[in-house]
Amino acid sequence: MPDRLDEAVANLPGYLGGHMQLVLSGLLISVLIAVPLGIFAARNRTLAGPVLGVASTLQTIPSLALLALMVPILGGRIGFAPAFIALTLYGILPILRNTVVGLQGVDPVVREAARGTGMTPLQSLQQVELPLALPTIIAGLRTATVWIVGTATLATPVGATSLGNYIFSGLQTRDWTTVIFGCLVAAGLALLLDQAIRLAELAARERKRAPAFAGIAIAAVMAMGAALPLVTGTSAARGIGSGEGEVMAGIEGRTVVIGAKGFTEQYILAALLERVLEDAGADVEIRENLGSTIAFDALRSGEIDVYVDYTGTIWATVMEREERAGRYDMFVRMAGWLREEHGILALGRLGFENAYGYAVRRDWAEENGIATIADLSGRSVRVGGDPEFFARAEWLRSRDAYGLQDARTRPMDSTFMYGALRDGEVDAVSAYTTDGRISDYDLVVLDDPLQILPPYDAVMLISPDAARNPALAGTLSVLLNAIPAETMRQANAMVDLDGATPGEAAAWLYGEVVAAED
Amino acid sequence: MTLSADALTKRFPDGTLAVDGVSFTVAAGECLAIIGESGCGKTTTLKMLNRLVEPTGGSIAFAGEEVTTLKPEALRRRIGWVMQGDGLFPHMTVAENIAVTPRLLNWDKARIDARVDALIEQVRLSVSEHRGRYPAQLSGGQRQRVAIARALSVEPELLLLDEAFGALDPLTRGALQDDFTRLRRELGFAAVMVTHDMAEALLIADRILVMKAGRVVRTGTPEDLLRDPGDAYVEELLAMPRQQARAIERLEAGHA
Ligand SMILES: Nc1ncnc2c1ncn2[C@@H]1O[C@H](COP(=O)(O)OP(=O)(O)O)[C@@H](O)[C@H]1O
Ligand SMILES: [Mg+2]
């Protein structure tokens, strides 16, 4: 517990700083867009409706989806840019709506007085209408602030550092201390910013102290946001290959960006790659908790240099292949396709498979005489799985091939599905075959006689740019075929069951597979 | 001649003919009262004078210039305006309200400050007490005094007043009417004053213009009207102040 907290505190400057940068820049640009647009809309009543309509529609797009959509829209950019744009779009509505409402709420008598005293429309806006609408506009700004602070925690899967890193990592590794820590800091930040704006507004109303008070409050908040990333020295480095076209040799002193998706095995493997690369003298930066397709997009565009993916995932999701292929055949065809189509180097297999498999409780299987997926046919079993699984071809095809039409699906976070199976809340789950909880909870993975579920060999993928530097592939080749499935399962269990950090599990794994060879 | 309106007409886009061929003149320093029942077109007539409403017919000359040749903002900065309801800016102090037009004209700060203080005194408010207050912190009569001070800020030749004393209790109103007459004598501005109160028009104005349904029914000095109403409607308007005056005379005679 205490070391979890220590680690959380140590990460605070980087995470909070990233979060503040997202929030402040998102808010600033929201204001710069929403206030002028609101002024324009308030003056053209026919325009007010459509403008507010578009903004409200943007608001109804679930925030996680809006964030994720920005990645392909920006051509595979991950990190700050997509998160910043999505947050800005999110912040616009409350400010825009309140600007329109505030301006339209100014007493017509007062507006006429402004004209009667000789003000031009612009002077009336600056000297009378905007000051009178300001409390309403500020209320919108405060709403936007609270929304953006909250939504920025969802920026983690698109690769932007934020307080969401605590929440996503903690959730995947069942580390509740870290999850709660992240939530508390985010809530505290929302309250703090909200109060800072309120104080600035009060100060602005007590006009004597206005500039001093408001200035200090805002400046303090800004300084916090700007200073934190400097403290940690993190910068949004791009991949090592991003130096235009030159062929680079060597790895010492270069920064390698490792990507990782958002689950335990990926955190451990990223930490393992980090150790291996640091042994060779590279500086390493890790972008973890990337959404599944976001990681691939980021690799293709060179935002990250290397990450571990699984053959079956690339085969079905990226290559969009319907046909089945054997384990080795699939790897070779995938590697050729990736090199051909995207210039991506599939360095090779780590040695283990992390496939989808249908897991059930051993006692339940014995009671009901179930040994293969086909035995589930026609039963109204409850199947738990991560939401991604039920959208994938694996589910659709195994459902059709094995007659699982009567099954009821229960999408849930993969963290919870093993516990739900153990506790009898579901009868089967779409397990990951390397998960440590399979043996610990006495679960069995059902046979797949028709070989519907494709192989999922873990492979290291290197970006087109980074592939030009042979030293990176050379350094990482020590991991080729080095990790048996059982070893990976043990490493996962250390984190998921014994409360070790991914870093600790990676250290153990390093000892097993790299140091042992020397 | 400070102001001359000729055949002023206003038909609103919805078809309402609010003002129909109204003509009048206002000499330098003169006070013209426009009187008539609610909805007869008084406010519309007044707003055409500083182009808050654009006439659909007729012409207006101010200080010898045709007003349609002037920029509306420039015109309004030269004509004081006290609107129906005080129309003060709620987010500005008394001093800031009064300083609005001088600021628009880029007066320097010392001149504005001196002018504001002088006006606060002229409308019989206290510089020390009222200068920094917001409109919400003033009584109705005080707000109206600030509105008059604001209208006088740039020493205009012409003041337009729309029922400026209408919403006040009788005592406050009487005091304000007296002060207005005194200010006019001291500063010599001309005024067009809209009212629905015949007694007010008789007491304050040099000349009275009676409107009904957008048209002029009678123009004359208070003495002219009292001597010869010349129209049944004017007679009707004069009946009430006359009755009240007689009743008071009788009461006073009875006590003597
Ligand atoms: N903007 C407008 N659009 C249409 N009709 C109007 C408008 N303003 C005033 N009117 C109409 O014009 C007539 C005169 O109004 P107004 O000049 O305000 O009268 P008064 O000030 O004498 O009470 C009324 O019938 C009123 O309803
Ligand atoms: Mg009126």
Side-chain angles (χ1 to χ4, degrees), chain A residues 147-402:
Chain A
W147 282 6
I148 290 185
V149 170
T151 308
T153 58
L154 300 176
T156 299
V158 298
T161 305
S162 79
L163 294 170
N165 289 32
Y166 288 126
I167 298 169
F168 278 86
S169 302
L171 194 60
Q172 289 304 324
T173 58
R174 300 204 300 162
D175 165 14
W176 309 122
T177 311
T178 301
V179 172
I180 292 168
F181 185 84
C183 291
L184 288 179
V185 176
L189 180 63
L191 284 175
L192 192 79
L193 280 176
D194 185 50
Q195 287 307 304
I197 297 172
R198 194 182 68 88
L199 285 178
E201 190 203 4
L202 281 181
R205 251 190 252 171
E206 316 238 324
R207 292 135 65 78
K208 298 279 180 292
R209 282 171 294 163
F213 214 142
I216 288 169
I218 303 282
V221 168
M222 291 291 192
M224 262 168 70
L228 279 169
L230 298 180
V231 174
T232 56
T234 55
S235 61
R238 298 196 79 207
I240 56 167
S242 49
E244 295 295 317
E246 51 177 313
V247 176
M248 291 172 301
I251 196 165
E252 218 175 315
R254 298 199 179 276
T255 300
V256 179
V257 184
I258 301 174
K261 303 188 195 187
F263 53 93
T264 303
E265 182 169 293
Q266 288 273 319
Y267 306 146
I268 297 172
L269 291 174
L272 179 67
L273 263 59
E274 178 183 27
R275 279 190 85 108
V276 171
L277 289 169
E278 282 179 353
D279 279 352
D283 292 326
V284 172
E285 203 172 294
I286 295 183
R287 301 283 194 82
E288 51 188 16
N289 289 310
L290 300 178
S292 181
T293 56
I294 290 171
F296 183 81
D297 286 344
L299 184 79
R300 205 179 42 179
S301 67
E303 292 269 323
I304 58 177
D305 294 313
V306 58
Y307 82 110
V308 174
D309 212 324
Y310 305 89
T311 51
T313 304
I314 300 289
W315 184 261
T317 320
V318 181
M319 298 167 68
E320 297 178 343
R321 291 297 153 89
E322 301 261 326
E323 76 265 25
R324 273 173 265 160
R327 184 176 180 184
Y328 303 100
D329 182 34
M330 181 182 279
F331 171 72
V332 171
R333 287 162 70 185
M334 178 203 76
W337 187 89
L338 286 178
R339 194 66 179 148
E340 197 87 335
E341 293 289 320
H342 298 294
I344 290 170
L345 179 65
L347 180 54
R349 297 177 298 110
L350 289 172
F352 68 91
E353 268 195 86
N354 182 6
Y356 277 118
Y358 288 94
V360 298
R361 285 200 317 277
R362 185 183 301 282
D363 54 356
W364 187 83
E366 283 165 4
E367 250 168 60
N368 293 285
I370 287 167
T372 76
I373 307 174
D375 296 333
L376 296 177
S377 172
R379 288 170 178 265
S380 66
V381 286
R382 298 161 298 170
V383 181
D386 65 59
E388 185 184 332
F389 177 73
F390 293 114
R392 294 172 74 121
E394 284 89 337
W395 162 245
L396 302 175
R397 254 182 265 142
S398 55
R399 184 190 62 189
D400 296 343
Y402 289 116

Side-chain angles (χ1 to χ4, degrees), chain A residues 119 127-128 131-132 204-208, chain B residues 86-101 103 109 112-113 116-117 120 125-138 142-143 145-147 149-150:
Chain A
M119 291 187 194
Q127 300 180 25
V128 177
L132 287 173
R205 251 190 252 171
E206 316 238 324
R207 292 135 65 78
K208 298 279 180 292
Chain B
D86 56 59
L88 294 179
F89 300 117
H91 62 299
M92 296 185 188
T93 62
V94 166
E96 288 165 338
N97 263 286
I98 296 173
V100 164
T101 310
R103 268 212 205 108
K109 191 179 171 333
I112 293 177
D113 284 346
V116 165
D117 287 351
I120 290 176
L125 290 172
S126 147
V127 171
S128 60
E129 204 179 330
H130 301 116
R131 196 182 203 282
R133 290 212 193 163
Y134 288 92
Q137 299 168 314
L138 299 174
Q142 289 169 335
R143 278 205 293 274
R145 288 174 186 276
V146 177
R150 184 175 74 182

